Amino acid sequence: MDKVWLHQLFGGYGQVDDIYIPLKRSAKFNTKFGFICFLKREEALNAVHALDGIVIRDFKLQVNLLNMQGIIATLLKTIP
């Protein structure tokens, strides 16, 4: 999972403003997760509805809406 791959996956649901993958925590806990910020709430909701629970590369995606002080972001977490 990298920024380019996430942009390709989530970009089909709207304009992606930013992608952040916290590498230190991911390596420490052997989890993969990231934050995908959309410009519009509706686009983030579309991504959540379409991608939550799907399986890619033997990982089940858990996608949630996260609202951080007015910034609309989608939280992605992969579950083995």
Side-chain angles (χ1 to χ4, degrees), residues 44-64:
L45 284 171
N46 289 339
V48 169
H49 293 306
L51 299 174
D52 187 38
I54 68 169
V55 177
I56 298 179
R57 300 181 185 169
D58 295 327
F59 289 97
K60 183 177 179 182
L61 299 185
Q62 181 181 18
V63 184
N64 301 301

Side-chain angles (χ1 to χ4, degrees), residues 10-76:
F10 282 85
Y13 300 96
Q15 188 173 356
V16 174
D17 184 47
D18 189 30
I19 296 174
Y20 172 65
I21 303 169
L23 297 175
K24 287 185 179 181
R25 180 178 170 147
S26 293
K28 181 178 178 181
F29 294 104
N30 196 24
T31 60
K32 298 178 183 178
F33 71 97
F35 298 91
I36 297 86
C37 297
F38 287 89
L39 294 178
K40 297 181 182 175
R41 179 180 176 84
E42 297 80 24
E43 295 171 348
L45 284 171
N46 289 339
V48 169
H49 293 306
L51 299 174
D52 187 38
I54 68 169
V55 177
I56 298 179
R57 300 181 185 169
D58 295 327
F59 289 97
K60 183 177 179 182
L61 299 185
Q62 181 181 18
V63 184
N64 301 301
L65 191 64
L66 178 65
N67 191 350
M68 306 177 315
Q69 300 175 354
I71 298 171
I72 302 303
T74 303
L75 170 63
L76 166 71

